[in-house]
Each structure stands twice: as C-alpha cells, then as structure tokens.
Amino acid sequence: MTPRAETRPHALVDHPWATKFLARRRSWDWHGPAEIDVFDADGSAVTDVLRDWQTAVFHTADGNHTLQEFVSSMADQYGDPAAAPADLAQTLLAETRALVEDRQVVELWDRAADLADDLDLPRSQRHLAGDKPAGDQPADQ
Amino acid sequence: MRRAVSAKDPSRAGARPDTEAATDSPATDAAPIRRAVALSGLALGQGAALGQGAALGQGAALGQGAALGQAPGQQGADLGALRRQAAAHGGPTIQRMTVGGAPKASSVSGTTSAKHVMAEAGQAADAEAGYGSRTYVTSEATLTAAVDANAHNFAAGPARSGRVDINASVPIYQYDKTNAPPAGMAAGQPVARSINGVATNCEIGAVKTGAGDVSITHFKKV
C-alpha cells in the first residue's frame, strides 16, 4: 500500500519564518472589538490602528507562538480547514511581513519567551499583571 | 535558556493561540454575570494525582474574576487580593522545584492568571466578550500542581532565570469563535466550547524571579 502524502494546505512549507516566534515590539490597547491601537516607542502616541488580519497577527504575537502555529490556528477557525481560503497562508505571511518589515511593530524570535508586561497585556489591563516581574526576552533577540 | 521537560502526556495536538481579550469591547449583558462570578466565591481547585501516587490537596481558589472583557477599572483591586488570598489557601501540595536546592512552591503570575484562570461559570461570557480563542483552567492550583511536581532546580541568586517549560496534561476549557476570521475573531462574536475540562497536553513555563520565587509566566495548549 502506498502511503498517502501528508496534505498541509495551509503550511508555510520551507519558509524561513515558519518556525519563528512572533513577538510584539510596541505597547498597545484595544481600539474596538477587532482593532488595535499601537503606540510609539515612548508610548506617548498612537502610530498605527490595526484591523482585520493585522489585528490577529499582532494579538497572537505574544512571544510564544510561531508563524506556522498562527496560520494553522486561523485555518482551524474555519471549522473544516478545507473551507479556509486557498491563499490563507500567503495572506497571513504578507500581513505579518507588513507588521515586521514596514510598520516594525512585530519582530521574529528564534525561541519562545515571555513579553515584558508593557507589551504583553493591553494598556488598560496592565493592572491585572500584578506580581509579574519584568519581561523574559532572550538577550540575543 | 529555555528548557523543555517532558512529563505526563507526551502527545501533542495542534496549537492554537492563547489569547487575551478585548478591554474596551462593547458592553454586553454578560458583564454582570462575570462580575457576579468574580465576586461570589470559591471554585474548587483542580485535584490532581501525581504519578508517584501522592495526591495533591484540592485548592479552593477564587475564579479569575478579572474578566478581560471588562472595561478598565471595572475590576476592583479587592478582587485581585481575594484571588491571591484564595490561591494561597490551596491546601497541601508536593513541592519539588527548588531554588538553590531549597524546595519552593510556585505561584501563578498576575498576567497568566488574568489570561487563563477563571471559574467555569464565567468562562463562556468572558470568551465571548474577548478577542479570539481562549483557554482556561478553573484554578491556579491546576498550574502550580503541575509545576510543583517537577524537580527542576533553579540556581540561587538575584538574577531572574530563564524560563523552564514543562509539558503536563491538565484539564482545560477552550472556547473558539464560531464565525470565520478575521471578522469572527472580534470581541462580542459568539464562541463554542471545544474542550470541556478534558486533560490536555499543555506547556507551562516558570521562572525564578529576582526575589527567589518560582513564578508561572506561561501557559499554552500544545
């Protein structure tokens, strides 16, 4: 019997970013039910308002999820992955690239780590952080 | 340096983002329910049996009342204190993680607790009010028991350690948005429970803080 080839319709096959961990670089807060305000490096002004897929990318970028995990999870959101758009992986890759290279509000890590508090929770929820110490980002990131 | 220690159930399933929820999401009629859950009381902690046969005590822990979908300031400071107080009364436990060779009980960081610890009664409303999928445990004791069962030794000293991740099978509750993304991910969109208290392989991360405490800063279904 010939084994069936694995079908991974939403895999970023061999893409160098697939196994990188997504990590936020800017503090943020909710702008609306699916929109995010991203603040500048000083945290004094909103520089970007993210919507649609970019909200999903930025929200997932907690330092503990790879790009491939993100793509797979979005495909799962359609119930049957076959129901997801055929170009889903490429769409999400393009949206991620925009946040990493153009807006520079997300970066890619080689390994998982915790975000600092000011990047982890939205600003309006930081009081929930309580006793969490400073972030755990790898020194080489 | 991140270390992975395999324990209990080594099986791995597809990953899904663990997510926070919207803060300034539209007001929903679920908010009073969440607040009532938050203020009302004790939810039984998850009992867990260690592989060595030692039974962990059941901890009574307040449900995580800080529903992330609540508006800023809606959660009073008293609630956080109650949560910590409840977690501190988690009953006897087996402590095997050590700092400088001395046994040290773990605790759950405020951020991790806010994201993932909530009494079952409030979970669905919290998940619906938030953005994306949510994964919960019903008690901080679920997480601390898994970490305390691990024998990792952190070096003593004032520096914060790197995170140590363990894999453990713990009962979780997962809620997924039912409408297609990206619009269906929004706060206020409906959810369905996809995991109902079933023991599931998860990754739990702990660090030794500068103060010498073992703090659980990471939780993720794998």
Side-chain angles (χ1 to χ4, degrees):
Chain A
M1 176 185 247
T2 304
R4 292 179 58 189
E6 182 185 6
T7 56
R8 302 175 64 196
H10 304 293
L12 292 165
V13 179
D14 294 332
H15 193 281
W17 286 14
T19 58
K20 300 290 187 182
F21 290 85
L22 303 169
R24 292 186 283 272
R25 298 183 63 191
R26 295 285 184 266
S27 60
W28 62 289
D29 208 345
W30 288 104
H31 180 91
E35 297 85 32
I36 285 176
D37 286 334
V38 179
F39 292 86
D40 61 13
D42 296 332
S44 57
V46 174
T47 59
D48 297 277
V49 179
L50 307 181
R51 295 182 173 83
D52 300 324
W53 285 125
Q54 291 191 353
T55 294
V57 175
F58 190 87
H59 187 261
T60 299
D62 64 354
N64 288 297
H65 293 87
T66 67
L67 179 57
Q68 181 59 68
E69 287 176 333
F70 168 63
V71 172
S72 298
S73 70
M74 290 300 102
D76 288 345
Q77 291 292 325
Y78 289 87
D80 178 2
D87 62 350
L88 178 66
Q90 293 308 312
T91 297
L92 297 179
L93 176 61
E95 298 289 359
T96 301
R97 189 181 297 281
L99 295 182
V100 171
E101 295 181 343
D102 300 336
R103 300 194 184 201
Q104 300 184 357
V105 297
V106 169
E107 60 188 353
L108 304 173
W109 289 352
D110 290 332
R111 52 194 172 91
D114 297 330
L115 295 176
D117 272 346
D118 62 338
L119 304 178
D120 195 346
L121 294 174
R123 282 184 161 200
S124 50
Q125 294 172 0
R126 284 188 201 163
H127 64 285
L128 300 178
D131 55 355
K132 183 184 175 188
D136 188 30
Q137 297 95 326
D140 58 349
Q141 297 293 345
Chain B
M1 174 68 73
R2 176 173 176 247
R3 303 182 190 186
V5 181
S6 181
K8 297 189 177 179
D9 182 2
S11 66
R12 297 175 70 86
R16 180 182 298 279
D18 301 318
T19 57
E20 310 87 12
T23 297
D24 54 356
S25 56
T28 69
D29 55 6
I33 298 173
R34 290 197 303 274
R35 187 157 180 79
V37 169
L39 296 174
S40 68
L42 300 177
L44 276 182
Q46 300 284 342
L50 292 178
Q52 291 78 5
L56 291 174
Q58 279 199 329
L62 270 183
Q64 159 53 25
L68 292 176
Q70 289 179 335
Q74 190 169 349
Q75 182 208 16
D78 291 349
L79 186 56
L82 286 170
R83 188 180 71 225
R84 287 188 291 274
Q85 184 181 14
H89 289 81
T93 189
I94 303 298
Q95 297 159 18
R96 291 200 174 87
M97 276 206 173
T98 54
V99 176
K104 190 73 177 178
S106 64
S107 61
V108 181
S109 77
T111 300
T112 302
S113 182
K115 290 179 181 177
H116 298 294
V117 182
M118 176 170 284
E120 187 179 353
Q123 292 173 0
D126 186 63
E128 181 166 319
Y131 180 91
S133 299
R134 296 292 300 271
T135 304
Y136 301 98
V137 296
T138 55
S139 166
E140 293 185 356
T142 301
L143 303 180
T144 57
V147 169
D148 289 342
N150 185 272
H152 180 78
N153 177 51
F154 289 103
R160 176 184 172 89
S161 76
R163 197 177 80 197
V164 174
D165 290 343
I166 66 168
N167 279 51
S169 185
V170 297
I172 64 171
Y173 300 79
Q174 179 160 315
Y175 297 79
D176 298 318
K177 296 289 183 178
T178 56
N179 292 330
M185 306 282 285
Q189 289 290 305
V191 296
R193 183 159 62 184
S194 56
I195 300 177
N196 184 12
V198 176
T200 305
N201 190 32
C202 294
E203 185 178 84
I204 307 172
V207 301
K208 181 200 70 79
T209 69
D213 297 320
V214 176
S215 178
I216 296 172
T217 62
H218 168 61
F219 177 63
K220 172 186 172 184
K221 170 181 169 290
V222 294

